[in-house]
Amino acid sequence: MKKSKKNQNKSSLVWKMAIASAVSWEAAKLAGSDHPYLAPLSVILCLQPTIDQSIRFSFHRIAGTAIGIMLTSYLVSHLPMNGWMLGLLLLGGTYIAKWLRIDVTVLHQVALTILLVFTFERNAKDYAFDRIIDTVIGVIIAILVHMFLFPPDYTKKAADSFQTLARQLSDALSGLSKWVQSEWGQGKGNLMAYRMNNLLQELHT
């Protein structure tokens, strides 16, 4: 049953990726992009296992892309194109992102954007602009497809977790009653405190 569910999730991901990539490519072309492949790139990266993860990754991708473009697009036409200059740009850009206390996922997006803008902006002057627009298009389409086309269903997993939690709570209350009947022994009290802490962590999860 579990294997069947995994296969079903993989199949839905395959369909979502294909449909969202096709739609985002065409949407980017309609928006006037000369680099429509950037939109499906965002789709492929942003389709995470859950909608919540997809949304968070999408925000990180947009933020990282915007920061990378702001740091690179003006400088790139005035700098020599070699590995050492790329390394310096990556070092400066990612260090600024780190200084701003940005999530590590955004750091990766900043680095990726710096690399691509550094490589393509000389030959296509509108690459940086296309990249930010196409990234937004890809992100929006990825989230919409993820939400409305075979949305992930974790209801059964949540129900199983609650059943496990109910058993643990029952065991904890049973142990607590035995501890009270045994006149509140200190050794047993420490054990009960440990079990209750574990139960609270499980509940939080």
Side-chain angles (χ1 to χ4, degrees):
M1 183 69 179
K2 191 176 287 187
K3 190 174 182 180
S4 173
K5 186 68 175 175
K6 283 184 178 178
N7 287 333
Q8 185 180 345
N9 289 337
K10 285 181 182 177
S11 296
S12 67
L13 177 61
V14 167
W15 279 98
K16 287 177 186 179
M17 202 173 288
I19 293 170
S21 294
V23 172
S24 64
W25 179 292
E26 293 302 320
K29 281 172 61 179
L30 286 174
S33 173
D34 293 324
H35 307 86
Y37 60 86
L38 295 170
L41 175 63
S42 291
V43 167
I44 293 166
L45 292 174
C46 292
L47 279 175
Q48 301 292 311
T50 67
I51 294 172
D52 177 60
Q53 288 174 332
S54 293
I55 291 172
R56 276 188 279 123
F57 189 91
S58 297
F59 278 123
H60 292 160
R61 179 158 175 75
I62 290 173
T65 299
I67 292 169
I69 287 172
M70 286 189 292
L71 294 173
T72 314
S73 58
Y74 175 74
L75 294 174
V76 72
S77 58
H78 304 287
L79 298 173
M81 190 172 183
N82 57 53
W84 304 115
M85 189 54 61
L86 172 64
L88 286 173
L89 284 172
L90 286 172
L91 180 64
T94 51
Y95 191 86
I96 289 172
K98 175 184 175 294
W99 177 70
L100 293 172
R101 296 183 179 180
I102 287 173
D103 188 274
V104 68
T105 309
V106 181
L107 281 178
H108 288 283
Q109 298 305 321
V110 169
L112 181 62
T113 299
I114 289 173
L115 169 62
L116 293 175
V117 171
F118 181 76
T119 304
F120 293 115
E121 181 69 8
R122 295 168 195 272
N123 301 321
K125 294 300 180 184
D126 56 349
Y127 176 84
F129 178 76
D130 281 353
R131 181 163 180 80
I132 189 69
I133 296 300
D134 293 348
T135 295
V136 173
I137 290 172
V139 159
I140 291 171
I141 290 174
I143 292 172
L144 290 176
V145 167
H146 208 12
M147 288 174 67
F148 298 111
L149 186 68
F150 314 122
D153 182 10
Y154 291 95
T155 308
K156 187 176 185 309
K157 185 176 179 181
D160 291 342
S161 296
F162 273 112
Q163 287 179 358
T164 302
L165 184 63
R167 285 195 297 271
Q168 291 176 340
L169 182 59
S170 175
D171 292 343
L173 291 175
S174 175
L176 187 62
S177 67
K178 290 177 183 176
W179 177 47
V180 172
Q181 290 174 4
S182 64
E183 298 182 353
W184 312 85
Q186 182 61 41
K188 187 70 173 178
N190 293 336
L191 177 61
M192 287 305 302
Y194 174 77
R195 290 181 63 185
M196 292 304 292
N197 283 333
N198 284 343
L199 185 61
L200 287 172
Q201 289 176 7
E202 193 72 29
L203 178 61
H204 177 72
T205 302

